[in-house]
């Protein structure tokens, strides 16, 4: 017998609560539930077959039909919500397809509303970058800057088009000042008082969006998004953005990306009394998939560990491209 045991040392033994899987399950402070997961989905106009996204193995640009099937599967797996991103056939300076009643996202929203009704929460990303020929999130001034207030008019119109088509939640992601207020006013004015706003309140100018720009075909043709998205060096302005969005009528707030910003997730979660979402973005997905494909880490464990970290940091909702897979795994276990 060890002399330590003889002496009644150590007095505290935290390992007692880690001994068996049943004990660990009993004392786990954080759990994942499929209902808290939101699946981002891409739907592209004018394609005959779903198109794989090379930098996001397992993710595709859907056709309208394949979207319906995948949305059904996600819902059957218990995923809490779906958020749609559209890729139009034709792009122009002002992103005209974004608020076209027959634009691809509006068509997809009508499809999914008919198929799923209230069985899921149907959301639409609300931005212009997928729709503009220049790839920026708003309309441009003659000098080539993103024109904040002219863009708000576009966002207001997109919000109404999406709500008309069945979106229950719209998610403005363009980081224009006043976007939540402009959208709220437009929705209410059009009779869509029940349509909720999930504000991408805290959105950093991040390298981790790289694969998404391939998936959504929206890389800016010139410059970058740093004049509207936040500087990764700053935390204080994240809280300011959240406060402003809540004052403007946001129903839920989001922090994006996730993993590199868990400190921000925690600070926001401590500050607000609305649901806080975190977006596990395309680059986070790609990193794990690429490392796993090389045999460098255990894919399934890494996925679950990142997701539980989001929850532990205070995110109530998580947007993840793994939502359907994880929801299934959770129901099996
Ligand atoms: C903008 C938008 C972006 C993402 C979601 N909405 C890209 C960007 O700001 O460049 C990124 C999501 C991801 O990387 O998974 N409409």
């Amino acid at each position: 017998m060890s002399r330590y045991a003889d002496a009644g040392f150590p007095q505290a033994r935290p390992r007692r609560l880690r001994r068996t899987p049943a004990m660990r399950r009993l004392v786990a402070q954080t759990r994942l539930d499929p209902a808290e997961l939101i699946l981002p989905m891409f739907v592209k106009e004018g394609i005959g077959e779903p198109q794989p996204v090379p930098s996001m193995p397992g993710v595709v640009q859907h056709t309208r039909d394949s979207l319906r099937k995948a949305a059904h599967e996600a819902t059957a797996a218990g995923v809490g919500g779906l958020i749609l991103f559209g890729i139009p056939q034709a792009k122009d300076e002002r992103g005209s397809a974004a608020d076209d009643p027959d634009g691809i996202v509006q068509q997809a929203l009508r499809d999914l509303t008919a198929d799923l009704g209230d069985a899921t929460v149907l959301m639409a990303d609300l931005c212009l970058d997928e729709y503009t020929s220049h790839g920026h999130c708003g309309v441009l001034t003659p000098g080539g800057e993103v024109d904040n207030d002219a863009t708000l008019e576009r966002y207001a119109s997109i919000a109404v088009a999406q709500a008309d088509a069945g979106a229950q939640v719209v998610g403005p992601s363009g980081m224009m000042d006043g976007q939540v207020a402009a959208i709220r006013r437009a929705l209410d004015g059009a009779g869509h008082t029940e349509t909720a706003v999930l504000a991408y309140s805290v959105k950093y100018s991040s390298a981790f969006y790289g694969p998404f720009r391939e998936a959504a075909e929206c890389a800016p043709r010139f410059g970058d998004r740093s004049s509207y998205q936040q500087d990764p060096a700053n935390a204080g302005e994240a809280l300011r953005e959240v406060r402003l969005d809540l004052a403007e009528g946001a129903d839920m707030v989001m922090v994006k990306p996730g993993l590199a910003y868990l400190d921000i997730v925690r600070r926001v979660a401590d500050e607000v009394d609305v649901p806080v979402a975190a977006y596990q973005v395309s680059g986070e997905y790609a990193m794990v998939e690429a490392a796993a494909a090389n045999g460098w880490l255990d894919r399934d464990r890494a996925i679950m560990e990142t997701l539980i970290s989001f929850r532990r940091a205070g995110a109530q909702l998580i947007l993840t491209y793994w939502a359907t897979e994880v929801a299934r795994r959770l129901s099996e276990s």
Side-chain angles (χ1 to χ4, degrees):
M1 193 179 259
S2 115
R3 62 196 172 91
Y4 295 115
D6 274 347
F9 175 88
Q11 278 183 350
R13 293 186 181 273
R15 286 182 55 184
R16 286 181 192 126
L17 301 186
R18 299 179 197 141
R19 272 189 59 235
T20 65
M23 180 66 88
R24 292 193 292 272
R25 189 177 58 157
L26 178 75
V27 301
Q29 291 183 306
T30 313
R31 296 174 206 277
L32 282 170
D33 188 311
E36 298 158 343
L37 304 177
I38 298 170
L39 176 65
M41 308 178 87
F42 303 102
V43 57
K44 183 169 174 174
E45 191 173 34
I47 51 171
E49 291 294 322
Q51 307 289 315
V53 179
S55 54
M56 299 179 74
V59 172
V60 300
Q61 297 175 325
H62 283 289
T63 65
R64 277 174 68 184
D65 278 345
S66 73
L67 182 84
R68 295 173 92 139
K69 186 161 174 283
H72 179 82
E73 287 169 0
T75 305
V79 168
L82 311 172
I83 184 162
L84 303 188
F85 294 86
I87 305 128
Q89 224 161 3
K91 306 191 183 208
D92 61 21
E93 286 277 308
R94 60 191 289 282
S96 302
D99 54 335
D100 180 341
D102 290 318
I104 182 65
V105 160
Q106 281 69 255
Q107 291 185 338
L109 286 166
R110 284 193 294 268
D111 290 343
L112 299 188
T113 301
D115 289 358
L116 299 168
D118 287 339
T120 187
V121 178
L122 209 50
M123 315 186 185
D125 182 80
L126 198 170
C127 198
L128 276 170
D129 58 327
E130 297 95 343
Y131 299 92
T132 51
S133 44
H134 44 75
H136 278 287
C137 297
V139 294
L140 303 180
T141 64
E145 281 188 62
V146 175
D147 184 335
N148 192 87
D149 296 9
T151 300
L152 295 184
E153 290 181 32
R154 300 288 300 122
Y155 287 0
S157 172
I158 300 168
V160 173
Q162 291 177 339
D164 283 346
Q168 299 168 22
V169 178
V170 297
S173 64
M175 292 302 282
M176 297 301 126
D177 295 334
Q179 63 185 12
V180 172
I183 288 165
R184 184 72 269 157
R185 226 177 276 166
L187 287 170
D188 292 350
H192 291 298
T193 53
E194 299 308 315
T195 306
V197 177
L198 166 59
Y200 288 64
S201 302
V202 181
K203 182 170 176 183
Y204 284 94
S205 182
S206 173
F208 291 102
Y209 305 149
F212 174 94
R213 293 180 185 171
E214 179 175 66
E217 302 177 17
C218 66
R221 293 290 154 83
F222 65 89
D224 59 28
R225 305 204 205 289
S226 299
S227 73
Y228 42 104
Q229 298 180 349
Q230 289 174 226
D231 183 342
N234 298 342
E237 67 179 325
L239 299 173
R240 180 160 190 240
E241 290 280 5
V242 165
R243 276 184 220 116
L244 288 168
D245 281 357
L246 289 175
E248 291 179 25
D251 299 285
M252 302 180 268
V253 296
M254 194 197 302
V255 174
K256 174 182 176 194
L259 207 52
Y261 299 89
L262 291 180
D263 59 325
I264 307 294
V265 172
R266 167 49 60 198
R267 289 176 68 169
V268 171
D270 285 344
E271 167 118 355
V272 307
D273 51 12
V274 297
V276 174
Y279 198 144
Q280 183 175 58
V281 300
S282 58
E284 301 176 53
Y285 178 92
M287 281 197 298
V288 172
E289 291 288 352
N294 277 293
W296 294 339
L297 52 70
D298 179 333
R299 176 182 180 277
D300 293 359
R301 281 190 62 197
I303 292 172
M304 298 313 265
E305 188 175 332
T306 56
L307 294 174
I308 206 76
S309 303
F310 281 47
R311 293 279 292 115
R312 196 191 61 237
Q316 183 181 335
L317 305 171
I318 305 170
L319 288 82
T320 174
Y321 299 97
W322 287 305
T324 304
E325 175 187 333
V326 168
R328 284 186 183 136
R329 203 183 302 160
L330 289 170
S331 339
E332 280 158 17
S333 65

